[in-house]
C-alpha cells in the first residue's frame, strides 16, 4: 500500500468524519481515530461540534497516553486508552 504521512493521517481522520458522517449531522460532533500501524502514525480528529469537549490539547494528551501501548504493538489496548 501507499505510505501515510502526518498530514495524510490527519486528512484521513477528517475524511472519515466527512465520508462516514460520524456523529450527529446537525451537531457535527463526530470523532475519528486513525491508526496507520505500518507507518507508525496516529491521528485523532473531532468535528466542530465536539471540540468543546475534545479540543486539540485534549486530543494530543489522548494520543500521548496511547503511545506506550502503540510502541508495544498493543493496538487494542491503545484504542481502549483513547476511549477511557
Amino acid at each position: 500500500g501507499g505510505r501515510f504521512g502526518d498530514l495524510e493521517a490527519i486528512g484521513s481522520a477528517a475524511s472519515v468524519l466527512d465520508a462516514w458522517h460520524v456523529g450527529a449531522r446537525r451537531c457535527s460532533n463526530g470523532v475519528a481515530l486513525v491508526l496507520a500501524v505500518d507507518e507508525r502514525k496516529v491521528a485523532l480528529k473531532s468535528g466542530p461540534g465536539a471540540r468543546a469537549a475534545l479540543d486539540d490539547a485534549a486530543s494530543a494528551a489522548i494520543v500521548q497516553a496511547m503511545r506506550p501501548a502503540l510502541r508495544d504493538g498493543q493496538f487494542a489496548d491503545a484504542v481502549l486508552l483513547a476511549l477511557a
Side-chain angles (χ1 to χ4, degrees):
R3 300 309 288 170
F4 210 63
D6 289 333
L7 293 177
E8 290 174 277
I10 294 166
S12 290
S15 294
V16 167
L17 285 174
D18 292 339
W20 292 358
H21 305 291
V22 175
R25 179 174 279 179
R26 290 187 358 222
C27 299
S28 193
N29 64 353
V31 176
L33 173 67
V34 174
L35 296 179
V37 174
D38 290 343
E39 290 79 12
R40 300 174 55 104
K41 304 290 182 195
V42 60
L44 180 59
K45 182 81 173 157
S46 60
R51 289 202 185 109
L54 187 63
D55 62 14
D56 290 342
S59 293
I62 290 169
V63 169
Q64 190 63 29
M66 294 171 65
R67 289 200 190 282
L70 292 170
R71 275 190 219 109
D72 291 341
Q74 302 298 319
F75 307 115
D77 290 343
V79 171
L80 290 174
L81 284 169
L83 297 173

